[in-house]
């Protein structure tokens, strides 16, 4: 199963999601991330946070949803603007859900406030991914409506 974490810029939240998911997921589950308008670089604080948490950042980069290596089974938007965009037609009838989280890359404040914002975003994303990985995925694949409801419920978790 392939999960696409989608955000407009593909530099922070979607990359955090991709890396955390791939770090925690068992074999057979893989995440990728992309942006509708990628900025072409990863946010340095996102990379530093992942490394601090012991999560590899090797091979991750800001990329367009027009150049995905695989067709996703599930699309998870993590920013409000991406949630409102129409996915490219080539993605087909994938399950879509929105797991919105504030962009820590836009926080202005003291060093402690910015660090706190990144930590909060990391905690929310990780809690949602752990909840996803705890689902009875084989069972849910046969019931798309229930699967969608579970995905939407996970998007409300705040760590």
């Amino acid at each position: 199963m392939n999960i696409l974490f989608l955000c407009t810029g593909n530099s922070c939240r979607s990359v955090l999601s991709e890396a955390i998911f791939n770090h925690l997921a068992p074999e057979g589950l893989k995440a990728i991330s992309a942006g509708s308008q990628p900025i072409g670089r990863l946010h340095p604080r996102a990379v530093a946070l992942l490394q601090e948490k012991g999560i590899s950042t090797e091979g991750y980069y800001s990329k367009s949803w027009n150049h995905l290596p695989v067709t996703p089974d599930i699309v998870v938007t993590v920013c409000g603007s991406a949630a409102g965009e129409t996915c490219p037609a080539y993605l087909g009838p994938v399950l879509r859900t929105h797991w919105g989280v504030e962009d820590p890359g836009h926080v202005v404040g003291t060093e402690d406030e910015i660090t706190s914002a990144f930590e909060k975003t990391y905690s929310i994303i990780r809690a949602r991914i752990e909840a996803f990985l705890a689902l009875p995925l084989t069972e849910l694949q046969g019931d798309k409506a229930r699967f969608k409801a579970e995905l939407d419920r996970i998007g409300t978790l705040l760590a």
Side-chain angles (χ1 to χ4, degrees):
M1 181 183 298
N2 295 300
I3 315 301
L4 170 62
F5 288 99
L6 186 63
C7 196
T8 305
N10 189 224
S11 68
C12 191
R13 292 167 288 179
S14 53
V15 174
L16 286 169
S17 300
E18 175 185 21
I20 294 166
F21 188 96
N22 288 333
H23 180 73
L24 298 175
E27 191 170 321
L29 295 177
K30 176 136 178 69
I32 53 176
S33 70
S36 57
Q37 299 170 23
I39 65 170
R41 61 179 167 69
L42 300 183
H43 194 291
R45 282 185 178 266
V47 172
L49 179 60
L50 289 167
Q51 291 171 339
E52 177 185 306
K53 302 289 186 184
I55 298 174
S56 174
T57 58
E58 187 175 335
Y60 295 122
Y61 61 98
S62 179
K63 58 199 156 302
S64 171
W65 65 3
N66 293 321
H67 305 289
L68 299 177
V70 296
T71 300
D73 301 294
I74 299 171
V75 174
V76 179
T77 53
V78 292
C79 72
S81 55
E85 294 175 342
T86 301
C87 281
Y90 77 86
L91 291 180
V94 300
L95 273 176
R96 282 189 65 154
T97 192
H98 180 62
W99 292 359
V101 63
E102 293 297 318
D103 187 351
H106 291 149
V107 171
V108 177
T110 67
E111 188 68 23
D112 285 348
E113 290 168 335
I114 295 168
T115 298
S116 177
F118 272 87
E119 287 288 345
K120 180 178 178 185
T121 297
Y122 174 89
S123 295
I124 291 169
I125 291 169
R126 185 169 179 125
R128 291 174 180 175
I129 290 169
E130 287 173 348
F132 175 89
L133 294 173
L135 292 173
L137 296 175
T138 304
E139 180 183 318
L140 290 172
Q141 283 180 299
D143 186 346
K144 297 289 187 198
R146 188 169 153 231
F147 202 172
K148 168 85 168 112
E150 287 293 331
L151 292 172
D152 290 348
R153 178 189 61 77
I154 288 169
T156 67
L157 300 177
L158 295 176

